Tab-separated table of all heavy atoms in Angstrom:
chain	number	residue	atom	x	y	z
P	488	LEU	N	17.087	-24.120	-20.612
P	488	LEU	CA	17.484	-23.968	-19.211
P	488	LEU	C	16.666	-22.894	-18.498
P	488	LEU	O	16.889	-22.630	-17.326
P	488	LEU	CB	18.974	-23.605	-19.128
P	488	LEU	CG	19.921	-24.627	-19.762
P	488	LEU	CD1	21.330	-24.066	-19.835
P	488	LEU	CD2	19.910	-25.915	-18.956
P	489	ALA	N	15.734	-22.295	-19.225
P	489	ALA	CA	14.837	-21.287	-18.652
P	489	ALA	C	15.612	-20.196	-17.927
P	489	ALA	O	15.263	-19.804	-16.811
P	489	ALA	CB	13.824	-21.941	-17.718
P	490	CYS	N	16.670	-19.691	-18.536
P	490	CYS	CA	17.490	-18.665	-17.894
P	490	CYS	C	16.687	-17.413	-17.574
P	490	CYS	O	16.910	-16.760	-16.563
P	490	CYS	CB	18.664	-18.283	-18.786
P	490	CYS	SG	19.663	-19.677	-19.285
P	491	PHE	N	15.740	-17.073	-18.487
P	491	PHE	CA	14.965	-15.849	-18.282
P	491	PHE	C	14.055	-15.932	-17.061
P	491	PHE	O	13.501	-14.933	-16.631
P	491	PHE	CB	14.117	-15.528	-19.520
P	491	PHE	CG	14.926	-15.000	-20.673
P	491	PHE	CD1	14.911	-15.635	-21.897
P	491	PHE	CD2	15.692	-13.870	-20.514
P	491	PHE	CE1	15.648	-15.141	-22.958
P	491	PHE	CE2	16.439	-13.368	-21.570
P	491	PHE	CZ	16.422	-14.011	-22.796
P	492	GLY	N	13.873	-17.128	-16.539
P	492	GLY	CA	13.057	-17.255	-15.331
P	492	GLY	C	13.662	-16.535	-14.143
P	492	GLY	O	12.951	-16.154	-13.223
P	493	CYS	N	14.985	-16.383	-14.159
P	493	CYS	CA	15.652	-15.690	-13.050
P	493	CYS	C	16.507	-14.515	-13.506
P	493	CYS	O	16.642	-13.539	-12.790
P	493	CYS	CB	16.548	-16.655	-12.282
P	493	CYS	SG	15.640	-17.899	-11.378
P	494	HIS	N	17.117	-14.637	-14.679
P	494	HIS	CA	18.094	-13.623	-15.108
P	494	HIS	C	17.509	-12.684	-16.157
P	494	HIS	O	16.657	-13.089	-16.944
P	494	HIS	CB	19.321	-14.299	-15.718
P	494	HIS	CG	20.102	-15.117	-14.740
P	494	HIS	ND1	20.958	-14.560	-13.832
P	494	HIS	CD2	20.131	-16.444	-14.522
P	494	HIS	CE1	21.508	-15.522	-13.101
P	494	HIS	NE2	21.013	-16.685	-13.498
P	495	THR	N	18.011	-11.453	-16.160
P	495	THR	CA	17.666	-10.555	-17.260
P	495	THR	C	18.837	-10.455	-18.228
P	495	THR	O	20.007	-10.511	-17.820
P	495	THR	CB	17.350	-9.131	-16.760
P	495	THR	OG1	18.321	-8.784	-15.784
P	495	THR	CG2	15.974	-9.062	-16.157
P	496	MET	N	18.496	-10.319	-19.507
P	496	MET	CA	19.510	-10.040	-20.522
P	496	MET	C	18.928	-8.950	-21.408
P	496	MET	O	17.826	-9.106	-21.926
P	496	MET	CB	19.776	-11.278	-21.384
P	496	MET	CG	20.242	-12.476	-20.590
P	496	MET	SD	20.220	-13.963	-21.601
P	496	MET	CE	20.009	-15.207	-20.353
P	497	PHE	N	19.615	-7.851	-21.533
P	497	PHE	CA	19.154	-6.707	-22.325
P	497	PHE	C	17.704	-6.354	-21.998
P	497	PHE	O	16.871	-6.160	-22.882
P	497	PHE	CB	19.316	-6.985	-23.819
P	497	PHE	CG	20.746	-7.220	-24.200
P	497	PHE	CD1	21.229	-8.508	-24.378
P	497	PHE	CD2	21.617	-6.148	-24.337
P	497	PHE	CE1	22.555	-8.713	-24.700
P	497	PHE	CE2	22.939	-6.363	-24.664
P	497	PHE	CZ	23.419	-7.645	-24.855
P	498	GLY	N	17.403	-6.323	-20.723
P	498	GLY	CA	16.086	-5.859	-20.294
P	498	GLY	C	14.983	-6.898	-20.342
P	498	GLY	O	13.867	-6.630	-19.956
P	499	HIS	N	15.271	-8.098	-20.802
P	499	HIS	CA	14.248	-9.136	-20.864
P	499	HIS	C	14.521	-10.168	-19.765
P	499	HIS	O	15.643	-10.593	-19.580
P	499	HIS	CB	14.262	-9.801	-22.249
P	499	HIS	CG	13.222	-10.874	-22.390
P	499	HIS	ND1	13.331	-11.891	-23.294
P	499	HIS	CD2	12.060	-11.072	-21.738
P	499	HIS	CE1	12.279	-12.680	-23.183
P	499	HIS	NE2	11.495	-12.202	-22.247
P	500	GLY	N	13.485	-10.566	-19.067
P	500	GLY	CA	13.646	-11.605	-18.066
P	500	GLY	C	13.237	-11.139	-16.676
P	500	GLY	O	12.897	-9.977	-16.477
P	501	ARG	N	13.257	-12.068	-15.754
P	501	ARG	CA	12.810	-11.748	-14.404
P	501	ARG	C	14.011	-11.393	-13.530
P	501	ARG	O	15.098	-11.936	-13.686
P	501	ARG	CB	12.072	-12.944	-13.807
P	501	ARG	CG	11.135	-12.512	-12.693
P	501	ARG	CD	10.499	-13.678	-12.004
P	501	ARG	NE	9.495	-14.348	-12.800
P	501	ARG	CZ	9.157	-15.626	-12.602
P	501	ARG	NH1	9.739	-16.318	-11.665
P	501	ARG	NH2	8.242	-16.187	-13.338
P	502	VAL	N	13.798	-10.465	-12.605
P	502	VAL	CA	14.896	-10.014	-11.760
P	502	VAL	C	14.917	-10.834	-10.470
P	502	VAL	O	14.421	-10.413	-9.451
P	502	VAL	CB	14.759	-8.517	-11.436
P	502	VAL	CG1	16.027	-8.002	-10.791
P	502	VAL	CG2	14.451	-7.734	-12.682
P	503	VAL	N	15.444	-12.042	-10.567
P	503	VAL	CA	15.661	-12.834	-9.360
P	503	VAL	C	17.158	-12.977	-9.173
P	503	VAL	O	17.712	-12.663	-8.134
P	503	VAL	CB	14.997	-14.220	-9.469
P	503	VAL	CG1	15.320	-15.042	-8.232
P	503	VAL	CG2	13.497	-14.084	-9.642
P	504	GLY	N	17.818	-13.420	-10.232
P	504	GLY	CA	19.270	-13.528	-10.211
P	504	GLY	C	19.881	-12.257	-10.777
P	504	GLY	O	19.215	-11.228	-10.901
P	505	THR	N	21.136	-12.353	-11.124
P	505	THR	CA	21.862	-11.172	-11.581
P	505	THR	C	21.538	-10.851	-13.050
P	505	THR	O	21.089	-11.710	-13.799
P	505	THR	CB	23.368	-11.396	-11.375
P	505	THR	OG1	24.065	-10.290	-11.883
P	505	THR	CG2	23.842	-12.631	-12.079
Side-chain angles (χ1 to χ4, degrees):
Chain P
L488 301 170
C490 305
F491 286 122
C493 292
H494 295 282
T495 43
M496 301 169 206
F497 299 100
H499 181 204
R501 203 186 288 156
V502 191
V503 176
T505 177

